[in-house]
Amino acid sequence: MAVTDLAIGRIKEMILSGTLQPGSRLPNEADLAESLGLSRNSLREAVRALTAMRILVSRQGDGTYVSGLEPHLLLETMAFAADVSHGHTAHQLLQVRRLLEPQATALATGRLTTEQLDGLREILDRSAAAKGIEEFVRLDIEFHRTIVDAVGNPVLSTLLGILSTHTQRLRIVRGAQYAPARERAQREHEAIWRALTARDAGLAAGASAFHVAAVEDWLTGGAAGDGPGLPAP
């Protein structure tokens, strides 16, 4: 592992120094291994690891390239950590979401078009009629994603998507009484939508903060069954 880490570090240094630019093709394996003073096996392991991190991209029959290094794509590698988070770790992710999402909602208030607001209304109507947890969580994600995407910052959209993934949301909702959780989430989503429709950024941020804080409160105190049911994340 130490040799592979060294190989990863040396390729990263080439990218940071500008020797390898975003979108550029890596030299052939033999030449690159020789120039870096590495075995070809170590180089292959490093390339595999960097490909998994989205730093490199393998193109079948055409070689390996440095990716575009767009931050929102590199952040996607964090999604697995969010998927498997439990307990204290899940709470920490929610804390970060509570810091970011209300501000994103406030920013979206002045940027959502009439058509997008109508689309949010349609999502809420479908959510109210959803028959199962899977459909309800999918619509919950669509509701929040539509709002955040209106800000126009793909890094923010990706980061907030990672902070509360589909897998994590399903696990949290299944840990609560589903019907009360759904009803409460619906009310909170309606409050966010009304604030957005009124173009009231402060009210929208407050409604969003209340919504995320309700989930956080459940994780810290209601998980033992004290609360009336967890709102959808």
Side-chain angles (χ1 to χ4, degrees):
M1 281 301 297
V3 177
T4 302
D5 289 342
L6 176 64
I8 291 171
R10 288 185 177 173
I11 295 173
K12 284 185 177 179
E13 284 173 11
M14 293 178 72
I15 295 171
L16 292 171
S17 68
T19 305
L20 288 173
Q21 295 284 335
S24 63
R25 188 179 187 275
L26 264 65
N28 71 64
E29 185 180 89
D31 290 343
L32 184 58
E34 183 179 357
S35 68
L36 294 177
L38 300 167
S39 72
R40 293 174 71 169
N41 281 339
S42 296
L43 179 61
R44 287 179 198 138
E45 290 296 327
V47 168
R48 276 195 284 268
L50 290 168
T51 300
M53 288 184 258
R54 302 287 189 95
I55 293 172
L56 299 180
V57 178
S58 179
R59 299 178 186 171
Q60 189 68 32
D62 190 29
T64 301
Y65 289 76
V66 179
S67 74
L69 301 178
E70 295 91 343
H72 65 284
L73 294 178
L74 299 179
L75 281 170
E76 288 179 359
T77 60
M78 294 170 55
F80 179 74
D83 274 344
V84 299
S85 66
H86 291 270
H88 185 60
T89 304
H91 181 226
Q92 289 177 327
L93 292 173
L94 275 170
Q95 284 181 320
V96 178
R97 183 184 169 197
R98 180 161 53 86
L99 291 170
L100 294 178
E101 190 161 311
Q103 298 307 312
T105 305
L107 284 173
T109 305
R111 304 184 188 190
L112 285 159
T113 66
T114 301
E115 291 75 16
Q116 287 172 318
L117 288 170
D118 289 343
L120 287 172
R121 179 68 262 169
E122 182 184 349
I123 292 170
L124 289 177
D125 292 342
R126 284 188 286 145
S127 179
K131 298 187 182 300
I133 294 178
E134 284 278 359
E135 183 182 4
F136 182 69
V137 168
R138 180 180 60 78
L139 291 166
D140 173 68
I141 291 171
E142 187 178 353
F143 178 79
H144 290 286
R145 185 179 61 236
T146 300
I147 295 170
V148 175
D149 284 353
V151 175
N153 185 324
V155 176
L156 181 64
S157 294
T158 301
L159 185 56
L160 281 170
I162 288 169
L163 290 172
S164 191
T165 65
H166 179 267
T167 300
Q168 185 190 88
R169 289 172 193 239
L170 275 175
R171 186 169 63 245
I172 291 174
V173 173
R174 282 171 174 157
Q177 301 174 44
Y178 176 51
R182 172 173 169 169
E183 291 164 6
R184 183 171 176 179
Q186 188 73 19
R187 289 195 303 270
E188 292 170 4
H189 286 166
E190 292 276 357
I192 294 170
W193 181 81
R194 286 194 299 271
L196 292 170
T197 303
R199 304 294 185 181
D200 189 327
L203 186 60
S208 175
F210 179 83
H211 179 55
V212 180
V215 186
E216 191 178 343
D217 287 345
W218 183 87
L219 281 177
T220 56
D226 300 333
L230 177 66

